[in-house]
């Protein structure tokens, strides 16, 4: 076994907050359900990039004469909302329909830098950076769905469903000032025959 040759162990820290709320409203013939979710995640990572140290590898990364570190900062927020209505009871014909929304904001900053003194704060010195990528992403997704179940027999059920999705994505390269945008949309039908012996 050979010990790793990094000159400073990597580390990560951050926090994660998740909130969810579910509300049911009984209408008698159907139940209306609302599900709301929110996530807030922040994470900081620092690690050796070349897995070398000045004692065992004085020539540094690729023999260029310096040690190298890397770091990544992530800030992610998501908010989602689902609203659906579903028939109640165990009738022969059952149904549900609903809509869904998801917003995602994701900022990611990735850097690689020359390590002079094994201090992670060197990442904030622009003169030591040899790779710097920073992006901001904003995504909005929408969906509408419906499903019908029909019991042909007590042990044979026919199910038909339909879902429509839209996804709008927007990315800004904060270093180069470039913006990329695209959208996706798709219809997903489903027909299932279920037999329970």
């Amino acid at each position: 076994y050979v010990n790793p040759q990094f000159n400073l162990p990597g580390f990560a820290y951050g926090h994660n907050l998740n909130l969810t709320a579910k509300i049911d409203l009984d209408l008698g013939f159907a139940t209306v359900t609302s599900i709301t979710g929110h996530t807030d995640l922040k994470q900081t990572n620092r690690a050796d990039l070349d897995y070398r140290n000045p004692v065992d590898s004085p020539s540094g990364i690729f023999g260029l004469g310096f040690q190298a570190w890397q770091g990544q900062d992530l800030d992610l927020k998501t908010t989602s909302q689902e609203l659906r209505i579903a028939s109640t009871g165990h009738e022969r014909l059952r149904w549900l329909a609903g809509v869904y929304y998801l917003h995602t904001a994701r900022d990611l900053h990735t850097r690689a830098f020359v390590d002079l003194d094994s201090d992670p704060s060197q990442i904030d010195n622009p003169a030591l950076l040899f790779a710097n990528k920073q992006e901001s992403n904003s995504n909005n997704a929408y969906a509408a769905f419906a499903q019908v179940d029909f019991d042909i027999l007590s042990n044979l059920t026919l199910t038909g469903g339909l879902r429509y999705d839209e996804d709008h994505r927007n990315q800004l390269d904060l270093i180069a000032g470039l913006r990329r945008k695209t959208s996706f949309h798709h219809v997903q039908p489903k027909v299932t025959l279920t037999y329970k012996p």
Side-chain angles (χ1 to χ4, degrees):
Y1 294 97
V2 178
N3 288 329
Q5 295 186 9
F6 53 75
N7 54 319
L8 196 63
F11 62 89
Y13 61 87
H15 76 265
N16 186 15
L17 172 68
N18 289 290
L19 302 172
T20 304
K22 180 175 182 283
I23 300 171
D24 289 319
L25 177 62
D26 187 356
L27 301 179
F29 72 97
T31 301
V32 176
T33 301
S34 169
I35 302 174
T36 306
H38 180 74
T39 296
D40 187 348
L41 169 67
K42 288 188 184 345
Q43 191 174 65
T44 297
N45 297 283
R46 300 290 182 264
D48 202 327
L49 179 60
D50 55 1
Y51 294 95
R52 296 288 183 265
N53 62 61
V55 175
D56 297 315
S57 303
S59 60
I61 185 171
F62 304 127
L64 298 176
F66 64 88
Q67 305 295 311
W69 261 60
Q70 61 183 327
Q72 200 167 61
D73 301 315
L74 172 66
D75 186 357
L76 173 68
K77 292 181 178 64
T78 65
T79 301
S80 64
Q81 176 64 54
E82 179 176 332
L83 188 64
R84 67 175 181 254
I85 183 169
S87 61
T88 56
H90 300 282
E91 288 82 9
R92 209 171 163 191
L93 179 68
R94 299 172 302 280
W95 53 268
L96 69 84
V99 291
Y100 178 77
Y101 169 72
L102 172 66
H103 173 72
T104 303
R106 179 178 178 271
D107 295 325
L108 185 64
H109 194 182
T110 304
R111 290 167 283 181
F113 58 97
V114 175
D115 175 23
L116 300 178
D117 58 9
S118 298
D119 183 356
S121 67
Q122 296 172 101
I123 196 170
D124 296 318
N125 184 345
L128 298 180
L129 297 180
F130 60 89
N132 189 12
K133 184 74 174 174
Q134 188 173 11
E135 64 185 44
S136 178
N137 299 275
S138 176
N139 303 339
N140 288 295
Y142 309 87
F145 55 90
Q147 179 172 305
V148 175
D149 294 323
F150 179 69
D151 294 333
I152 301 171
L153 300 171
S154 60
N155 60 351
L156 186 65
T157 302
L158 178 64
T159 300
L162 190 66
R163 180 183 176 98
Y164 175 73
D165 284 285
E166 277 194 16
D167 191 355
H168 303 279
R169 301 186 174 226
N170 187 350
Q171 182 181 72
L172 176 61
D173 184 330
L174 297 172
I175 303 298
L178 300 175
R179 182 178 298 277
R180 296 187 295 176
K181 297 171 79 172
T182 190
S183 294
F184 304 93
H185 55 89
H186 195 64
V187 176
Q188 302 172 75
K190 179 181 84 166
V191 176
T192 305
L193 189 62
T194 305
Y195 173 67
K196 298 179 181 178

